[in-house]
Amino acid sequence: MTNIAYLSIGTNMGDRFAHLQDAIKALRANKSIQILHISSIYETEPVGYVDQAHFLNIAVKLQTTLTPKGLLHTCLNIEQKLGRIRKVRWGPRVIDLDILLYNKDNIQTDELIIPHPRMHERAFVLIPLLEIDEHIQLPSTNTPLLKLLKKIPDRKEVRLWRQINGEDASVLFGN
């Protein structure tokens, strides 16, 4: 069975753009994942722990045969391979891959919550996600994400860093 999932990918250490590229390459290398769409790249100020560099963020729509738990473990393995070390909550990171949505499922386990529990509060997540699909809704409430974005005060702090159109994604992130 194929499933549709949306990820948020962010980085604020070292060569941020190269880290995004590496994460996309690692996702593409997995035979159980097909990337359908990659958003433009957005630069944002940190949230929570603010004494750190700005982030680059993208959203990715993918098709997968992995279960939600399988996709989570794939994302965690990619983070580990790319050098992510978890020291400070919301602290600096080489790479961060979060599952935002998986089909229209609502999942709550000790290890995984879908939809992502704070996505509706974060403009740096919603803006790239809405670029991919402006009609997307939170499955738990069927609330349009565009409506939720309008309530977030810091949405103007999410700045376009690099516009990506369909063909550009192949050039920037490989085939």
Side-chain angles (χ1 to χ4, degrees):
M1 179 177 166
T2 58
N3 306 285
I4 299 296
Y6 293 87
L7 305 180
S8 177
I9 304 176
T11 174
N12 76 333
M13 294 176 69
D15 187 342
R16 301 174 303 165
F17 181 60
H19 296 316
L20 292 177
Q21 289 176 310
D22 291 343
I24 294 297
K25 285 178 191 167
L27 287 168
R28 282 197 170 122
N30 187 310
K31 291 179 174 44
S32 299
I33 294 173
Q34 178 187 2
I35 293 179
L36 302 176
H37 195 87
I38 302 170
S39 74
S40 295
I41 304 169
Y42 293 85
E43 186 171 46
T44 61
E45 294 180 22
V47 172
Y49 180 72
V50 295
D51 189 20
Q52 58 182 315
H54 289 186
F55 281 82
L56 289 185
N57 295 284
I58 60 174
V60 178
K61 179 180 182 180
L62 54 88
Q63 185 174 348
T64 184
T65 56
L66 295 170
T67 64
K69 195 172 185 178
L71 182 57
L72 172 65
H73 290 291
T74 297
C75 290
L76 292 173
N77 287 336
I78 291 170
E79 288 179 351
Q80 185 178 21
K81 285 179 185 172
L82 296 181
R84 169 125 189 228
I85 299 171
R86 296 173 187 266
K87 288 185 179 179
V88 177
R89 184 174 183 178
W90 296 320
R93 59 202 72 172
V94 171
I95 199 73
D96 184 29
L97 285 84
D98 287 328
I99 302 171
L100 301 175
L101 300 165
Y102 184 94
N103 296 326
K104 296 197 181 290
D105 295 357
N106 291 295
I107 301 167
Q108 188 156 3
T109 69
D110 290 341
E111 132 178 88
L112 180 63
I113 300 173
I114 298 175
H116 188 283
R118 290 173 299 283
M119 68 182 276
H120 65 282
E121 302 167 353
R122 297 179 171 170
F124 68 86
V125 170
L126 294 183
I127 289 172
L129 184 58
L130 286 164
E131 179 185 315
I132 290 174
D133 183 348
E134 65 184 21
H135 302 292
I136 202 160
Q137 299 180 346
L138 273 181
S140 54
T141 62
N142 289 327
T143 305
L145 291 180
L146 191 55
K147 184 176 180 180
L148 295 174
L149 177 63
K150 291 178 181 179
K151 296 178 182 179
I152 300 175
D154 68 347
R155 67 185 176 275
K156 291 181 176 32
E157 295 173 14
V158 178
R159 297 169 300 282
L160 183 64
W161 189 78
R162 188 158 193 177
Q163 180 73 43
I164 295 180
N165 300 323
E167 299 120 28
D168 296 347
S170 295
V171 173
L172 293 173
F173 293 108
N175 291 331

